[in-house]
Amino acid sequence: MQGYLREDGRKGIRNIVTVVYLVECARHVATRIGNAFDAGDVHVIGFPGCYPNDYAQTMMERLCTHPNVGAVLLISLGCESFDRYGLAKFIEASGRPVHTVGIQQIGGTRVGIEGGTAWVKDTLSDLQSQKPVPMDPSELIIGTICGGSDGTSGLTANPAVGRAFDLLVEENATCIFEETGELIGCEEIMASRAATPELAEELRGSVHKAARYYITMGYSSFAPGNADGGLSTIEEKSLGAYAKSGASTISGLIKPGDIPTKGGLYLLDVVPDGEVRFGFPNISDNAEIAELIACGSHIILFTTGRGSVVGSAISPVIKICANPETYQRMKDDMDIDSGRVLDGKASLDEVGQEIRELITDVCNGAQSKSEELGHTEFILTYKSFEPIGPSCLPA
């Protein structure tokens, strides 16, 4: 594999420019700048809120310095509360080119678009002259999420990803699974796989926190589409979601923006800490994808039974379809047909190996289906987290 070397020693599998709006009022200018370029070269991300949030600040810092990002253009209205100066300094310290367009200061929409577009054009020219260097599997971070699950998800796609994760962990890569709200009932199984007794307690606590959160909200992450697809209970959905983690030892527990420093399998706790303040913890699959990317994920493995068309900004999304009928109906959006397991045409181990091989291909420049179609979805909302403790990480 090959990657683009960054000053912090990490390597990216893409070399994109991110155009970042720092308040909803600046989204139009950012979008117009992004639309002037190929979707594979320039991705638009942003935070719509106007009052500050530590979670959003941390997320933006991690996303703008992700290994797949080569340069950053910040778009500020000028009067929002987001710490644009702090973010710019953080990006500059990472060695990446960064430039800020202040819409109020520069003179409005038209001038902002023209100036930002010119900067991106010049910067892309510099990035395209960079040469990739060799990259080892141990330098990879891979995240996984499921969306649009049905009765086939826990039988084919999810356990196939688990097999791929086991292969990656053997290569000392870093693998991250999440959705603690969809792991209710699996906490003791996960605890039995923890690297330490202390971590086992943290894993139990993360699932218990999710259960309390949903009780307070009055509903869980079990959606009508899941029932329509044949799932009967949150426990059944949980077992399917859990299957994505494979069988390796769980090395640690992290929260959004925490980047593992050594290989292994990690659980990402995405449910906010403290009292319920901001509503449902993840309002769409792309919110969870963004959190996995903020933890350093180079690629996202997305499993689906009902079907999904989402991709993501910054990191490629590989979609593994659980249901053979869905795959045939939506094959333009699906990378792998794990439903072949149901038809007796492939084993879980064979599909897991296929996923692992596709990861290598995508790392070396092959486009996933969502990339081919130009999908660069992104969403970021308000949350609140407490720092993880020493028992959450490997010694």
Side-chain angles (χ1 to χ4, degrees):
M1 297 188 302
Q2 292 187 318
Y4 297 93
L5 181 62
R6 309 303 179 192
E7 284 195 8
D8 62 6
R10 296 189 294 168
K11 295 169 186 174
I13 64 169
R14 298 292 184 265
N15 201 20
I16 64 168
V17 174
T18 54
V19 180
V20 184
Y21 59 90
L22 302 180
V23 65
E24 182 65 22
C25 310
R27 183 199 288 261
H28 176 74
V29 171
T31 301
R32 287 290 299 274
I33 294 170
N35 288 344
F37 300 92
D38 184 272
D41 296 325
V42 179
H43 293 185
V44 177
I45 67 173
F47 179 61
C50 196
Y51 67 93
N53 178 249
D54 290 341
Y55 160 80
Q57 188 80 26
T58 298
M59 286 284 291
M60 276 302 179
E61 290 175 352
R62 299 297 182 268
L63 293 167
C64 290
T65 57
H66 188 281
N68 290 350
V69 174
V72 182
L73 176 65
L74 302 178
I75 309 297
S76 163
L77 177 62
C79 56
E80 72 276 358
S81 297
F82 200 99
D83 182 9
R84 57 187 180 276
Y85 303 110
L87 179 58
K89 289 181 180 179
F90 191 90
I91 298 167
E92 185 179 15
S94 76
R96 290 166 175 78
V98 58
H99 178 67
T100 301
V101 171
I103 297 172
Q104 293 171 342
Q105 182 182 22
I106 204 170
T109 298
R110 195 183 309 276
V111 182
I113 293 171
E114 291 173 354
T117 301
W119 186 88
V120 172
K121 183 178 180 180
D122 291 342
T123 303
L124 272 177
S125 178
D126 293 337
L127 291 182
Q128 288 165 354
S129 68
Q130 295 179 4
K131 302 297 183 184
V133 299
M135 184 174 180
D136 191 79
S138 63
E139 299 175 276
L140 272 180
I141 301 179
I142 306 295
T144 188
I145 174 181
C146 51
S149 300
D150 70 3
T152 68
S153 296
L155 302 175
T156 64
N158 291 353
V161 167
R163 301 296 203 281
F165 264 22
D166 290 340
L167 295 173
L168 287 160
V169 170
E170 287 179 4
E171 298 176 270
N172 203 33
T174 299
C175 296
I176 306 173
F177 70 110
E178 45 91 60
E179 298 163 307
T180 48
E182 295 178 13
L183 292 170
I184 295 170
C186 298
E187 57 268 30
E188 292 302 327
I189 310 174
M190 288 195 297
S192 69
R193 294 169 56 195
T196 65
E198 293 78 14
L199 176 59
E201 282 303 307
E202 295 288 350
L203 295 174
R204 292 187 185 99
S206 69
V207 177
H208 294 161
K209 179 184 67 171
R212 290 193 302 270
Y213 194 101
Y214 288 133
I215 289 171
T216 302
M217 291 293 296
Y219 54 88
S220 70
S221 62
F222 190 89
N226 299 143
D228 290 343
L231 289 172
S232 61
T233 60
I234 185 62
E235 288 83 3
E236 186 179 5
K237 186 178 183 182
S238 293
L239 287 169
Y242 169 77
K244 299 198 304 301
S245 67
S248 303
T249 297
I250 299 176
S251 300
L253 179 143
I254 57 177
K255 297 181 182 181
D258 295 327
I259 302 173
T261 56
K262 61 189 301 186
L265 178 65
Y266 294 80
L267 173 65
L268 173 59
D269 178 7
V270 301
V271 175
D273 294 319
E275 298 297 323
V276 176
R277 299 174 59 195
F278 302 118
F280 196 71
N282 286 92
I283 61 175
S284 74
D285 294 327
N286 282 97
E288 294 172 282
I289 290 174
E291 291 175 329
L292 286 165
I293 296 173
C295 294
S297 297
H298 294 89
I299 291 173
I300 304 298
L301 305 179
F302 189 112
T303 67
T304 182
R306 298 298 303 276
S308 173
V309 299
V310 303
S312 177
I314 298 178
S315 294
V317 173
I318 293 175
K319 288 202 282 296
I320 301 104
C321 188
N323 190 317
E325 294 179 0
T326 303
Y327 179 83
Q328 291 302 320
R329 190 170 61 251
M330 301 182 66
K331 61 172 59 178
D332 285 348
D333 288 278
M334 301 298 154
D335 296 280
I336 290 178
D337 177 15
S338 65
R340 291 175 295 141
V341 174
L342 293 181
D343 293 333
K345 297 177 181 177
S347 68
L348 287 173
D349 286 333
E350 288 172 337
V351 177
Q353 182 63 43
E354 183 180 355
I355 295 169
R356 176 63 190 91
E357 291 170 359
L358 183 54
I359 288 171
T360 296
D361 292 343
V362 171
C363 286
N364 285 329
Q367 287 191 318
S368 69
K369 290 293 184 68
S370 64
E371 285 186 293
E372 287 179 6
L373 293 166
H375 284 280
T376 57
E377 289 88 345
F378 182 84
I379 185 171
L380 180 60
T381 58
Y382 286 96
K383 280 190 176 182
S384 179
F385 286 97
E386 298 171 2
I388 57 174
S391 59
C392 294
L393 295 175

